[in-house]
Amino acid sequence: MTSPETSPSFGLFGLGTMGSALALNIVDNGFELHVANRSAARVDDFITEAGALANKLTGHNSLVAMAQAMPNPRVIILMVPAGAAVDASIADLKPHLQPGDVVIDAGNADFNETRRRTAEMEQAGLAFLGMGVSGGEDGARNGPSIMVGGTQSVWQGVRPLVDAIAAKFDGAPCADRLGTDGAGHFVKTVHNGIEYADMQVIAETYGLMRRGKSMDPAAIGQVFDRWNTGPLKSYLVEITGAVLGATDSATNAPLVDVIVDAAGQKGTGRWTVIEALKLGVAASTIEAAVGARVWSADRDGRAVGEALFAPTRGDVDLSEADIEQAMLAARIIGHSQGFDLLTAASAQFDWALDMARISEIWRAGCIIRSALLDDIATAFRAGAPEGKLAFAPAMVDQLNATIPALRRLVGAAITAGHPVPVLSNALQWFDGMTQARGSADVIQGQRDYFGRHGFDRVDGLPGRHGPWAD
Ligand code: 6PG
């Protein structure tokens, strides 16, 4: 293991968009860095592009050549696509590594794979960290939010570099070790799940204003600009204002009107939902957001559906303040579901995740950074009943103030025929989770009827079956 006293040498493999930006961030913070890339030609170009920072970079023709040239102990950061490329890089490196060396996977890995890789590396006496990095290209270059999983001693060895390159909130690095093995990549995955829900809520409110209030994109962009000065202040709201305000240079049309309405996805949202299902956690807002991207990608299907049913979509009578408040309520619930998932995974994998700390390192650098996350960090520090963010006193106040608007919005959207899958799921979660006695008594009766599954009684008396059991 590297210790804080031993200064390791650093290498980075994978000079794609994110890798290049992270490499420049590292050297900009005063570290020397070895670099290599699968296609070696990119290395020279990258060093040339680095300009004044080039003298801190040493290029190599391959990952193995880089590892062999680096002084011990070595810290090698992999910035390659998730999956097979990570395994292939580790297989190439392994024969050349020694105890004390650290390999960091800084891509968007599936945390299950990070757990496997950590175990395999540790069995070979080597150290491995799974590091989630959020903030897109700009974040990687100027300060991302960094979520690390791995053993404490290994983390301490790389911490000076990670803290230096991370975003800062009130001067403190938005980076931390959150737990062992896959903890960092799991937290990054859930970050992305929340990101999907946040983005979809924004898209839904845009759709309502566009088609339910006949506003043009620039005017809607100005609404987002205004919202970005209030409780919805966030990176995603800010960039939405910029996207909606942009004009297409070829046609002079609003840029958003020339963009095909089919959302891509690389998989982290889907991973979030898969893990939620495996852990028995309801992440319905995130699931709805993934589903909405799937519908969006089915353009042919939507065209056929519109032609077949020729639906009419009515106007919605909603104020700007209503939509703002509804969005805030849905965002609180989306985040709360994400944190529920983190709570369940923490128990399952023994990570002891600190929800307040996670909120803190999401306050700057990452894609979901927002004013709300500052409130969430404070709310978790103050304590949340049942561990549920939505039940923390500060969130209860905000939900009490905003749920009526969410109810008005969902009612109006559904009546007028506008799709609001995440906003409506958020409201459904709220209505379900604020009902001490619900309707699952009937489900238990049905299960007992057809399968003798039994039920608990509210009065605690014995009698775990209905009369049909006799
Ligand atoms: C981030 C982003 C980043 C990337 C997503 C996009 O936190 O910096 O989440 O990881 O932009 O992978 O994901 P989709 O392609 O699935 O939208």
Side-chain angles (χ1 to χ4, degrees), residues 18 108 133-136 188 191-192 195-196 199 264-269 293 366-367:
M18 292 292 283
N108 266 341
V133 177
S134 177
K188 175 59 171 50
H191 164 285
N192 281 28
E195 172 184 306
Y196 272 50
M199 291 171 75
Q265 50 178 322
K266 294 204 203 78
T268 45
R293 286 201 192 189
C366 67
I367 301 294

